[in-house]
Amino acid sequence: MLRVAVIGSGPSGCYTAQSLVQQDARVRVDVLDRLPCPYGLVRYGVAPDHEKIKSLQNALRAVLEHERVRFLGGVPVGPGGVPVARLRELYHAVVYCVGAATDRRLGIPGEELPGSWSATEFVSWYSAHPDAADGGFLRGVRSAVVIGMGNVAVDVTRMLARGATELSPTDMPHAALTALAASRVDRIHMVGRRGPSQARFTTKELRELGTLPETGLAVDPAEAARDPAYTDPSALPAPQRRNVEVLRGWAGAPVPGARRLIRLRFFLRPAELIAREGRVGAVRFERTAPDGHGGVTGTGRFEDIEAQLVLRSVGYRGVPLEGLPFDAAGGTVPHLAGRVLREGAVAPGEYVAGWIKRGPTGVIGTNRPCAKETVASLLRDAPFLTDRDLPGDPLAALRAEGVEPVGWTGWQAIEHAEAELGASLGRSVVKLPDWESLLAAARTAGP
């Protein structure tokens, strides 16, 4: 028998577990997660109104319900939890699928002002992540600026413009739903430092902005035309060409009867967040221009955009996990085909998959081939890994050391409690938003 611990129950962790049990009938997998709930960013990162993507949980559920897979939630690894060295004693192999846990910063004056947040923090709040703080994101806000031109930027822009009618059928926590329903935001600026042809959002996500009730969209055709490919997109790859065509359709169009307005702005680079009455009141941008090599250069001309809320969405970074090597420049763990490298040499029995392996790139499906590569390396190493005797069932050892995981029945009890909460509020499923309520629900499942 080959015992493997997979750290993280998001897509990369589940695809790793799936590949292991599919390819070798001797493998037993424990999927450990710091949170009492599985599915990672599918539960806590996908926008609540994206039901089709969220339905991927059904496929991940099938993995975690496999007879040779155990889900062990509420088990932190590293400081304050199970040390990396202890995991290596309890399992033949450990695969770290811990994602990219922090966001990139702008590095400009005023970034710490109240009202300035990462998009990750905002997403965590409306997704009911138990670590999220209710920072009063929308209190007193009429104008918001979203910095970034990727799908997460589109998500938070769309959520700022959604009303209670569209959000009530989702699993959004009730406090976030109430706050968004009462929001007085009527101007949302989504801003990028480069041109329309270099935006990173997908066309499907972009088009959704055009379907929002009582919401107008505006693109300044003169501003967008600073990008030569905007004027003539024929040479662009198909995804970028479709984006430009959608934006051209919105350019200069009248916005009759709109209660709120989304403005997509280009060639503006954030330079400073300006304080007003002790919080962010505006964002100062420097106008940029194409440099002829795919980048931009500053022009020395500036523009201020009023904003009481600023959400930065400029990418993610991995963070070091105590006990593992870390490449600070790339925000990843050094590896060779998924095998962890310590000082350039393969560390037996230690592996990585997902964003901590390759960086925050790709879509959910990209994790599948990434996991398969790592699993192929692990199974090739299996004859050497199983030479070492283990002390017995790792779960028994963890419990003897005071660790009380939330098992699969505990997670099912959480699901039941969320269904009951939704019914009591006249909605469908409503997520429990904090550690206390999640763990109390899990305990109703019994030992």
Side-chain angles (χ1 to χ4, degrees), residues 94-263:
V94 184
V95 187
Y96 297 92
C97 307
V98 291
T102 192
D103 57 276
R104 293 184 181 275
R105 302 185 65 79
L106 298 172
I108 60 174
E111 192 168 6
E112 302 301 330
L113 283 169
S116 167
W117 302 87
S118 71
T120 305
E121 291 169 308
F122 188 60
V123 170
S124 293
W125 169 69
Y126 69 61
S127 298
H129 194 292
D131 290 339
D134 181 358
F137 291 97
L138 304 175
R139 200 172 299 132
V141 177
R142 295 299 296 266
S143 178
V145 165
V146 178
I147 299 172
M149 283 280 172
N151 279 346
V152 174
V154 175
D155 277 350
V156 298
T157 296
R158 191 180 67 256
M159 297 306 293
L160 284 169
R162 282 284 194 208
T165 302
E166 304 105 82
L167 293 174
S168 186
T170 73
D171 62 4
M172 176 179 284
H174 207 62
L177 173 66
T178 302
L180 284 164
S183 166
R184 299 177 65 203
V185 174
D186 56 20
R187 285 159 293 159
I188 307 164
H189 309 263
M190 193 168 83
V191 187
R193 62 188 175 88
R194 297 193 293 177
S197 68
Q198 296 162 317
R200 305 298 290 271
F201 42 64
T202 58
T203 308
K204 180 178 180 296
E205 291 261 2
L206 178 64
R207 283 182 176 140
E208 285 186 84
L209 295 180
T211 67
L212 299 172
E214 301 183 278
T215 302
L217 287 119
V219 175
D220 180 345
E223 181 177 78
R226 291 186 171 96
D227 180 352
Y230 175 82
T231 306
D232 179 13
S234 58
L236 289 173
Q240 286 76 28
R241 186 175 69 250
R242 288 192 292 267
N243 283 346
V244 168
E245 288 167 351
V246 171
L247 293 167
R248 282 163 59 102
W250 293 338
V255 189
R259 194 162 63 86
R260 65 182 68 85
L261 177 65
I262 297 173
R263 297 194 67 195

Side-chain angles (χ1 to χ4, degrees), residues 65-109:
E65 288 182 333
H66 191 282
E67 61 183 359
R68 288 184 281 117
V69 176
R70 288 189 299 200
F71 172 69
L72 305 178
V75 182
V77 172
V82 182
V84 166
R86 181 58 174 149
L87 287 175
R88 284 290 296 114
E89 294 170 356
L90 296 175
Y91 295 91
H92 293 114
V94 184
V95 187
Y96 297 92
C97 307
V98 291
T102 192
D103 57 276
R104 293 184 181 275
R105 302 185 65 79
L106 298 172
I108 60 174

Side-chain angles (χ1 to χ4, degrees), residues 1-4 87-93 385-394:
M1 182 189 299
L2 174 66
R3 285 199 177 274
V4 180
L87 287 175
R88 284 290 296 114
E89 294 170 356
L90 296 175
Y91 295 91
H92 293 114
L385 299 174
T386 51
D387 280 348
R388 181 170 60 90
D389 291 331
L390 300 181
D393 184 353

Side-chain angles (χ1 to χ4, degrees), residues 284-310:
R284 179 158 293 162
F285 290 94
E286 181 182 15
R287 170 67 63 190
T288 61
D291 63 5
H293 305 288
V296 292
T297 184
T299 64
R301 291 181 286 117
F302 294 86
E303 174 182 343
D304 292 355
I305 298 178
E306 177 192 346
Q308 299 82 39
L309 172 66
V310 177

Side-chain angles (χ1 to χ4, degrees), residues 25 27-30 33 62 64 80 91 103 108 127 133-134 323 363 368 370-371 390 404:
V27 178
R28 300 291 185 273
V29 181
D30 285 348
D33 201 297
L64 296 175
Y91 295 91
D103 57 276
I108 60 174
S127 298
D134 181 358
V363 295
R368 194 182 292 274
C370 174
L390 300 181
E404 283 299 331

Side-chain angles (χ1 to χ4, degrees), residues 52-71:
K52 185 174 181 181
I53 302 175
K54 289 176 74 67
S55 68
L56 177 63
Q57 291 183 13
N58 296 327
L60 303 184
R61 171 187 295 275
V63 176
L64 296 175
E65 288 182 333
H66 191 282
E67 61 183 359
R68 288 184 281 117
V69 176
R70 288 189 299 200
F71 172 69

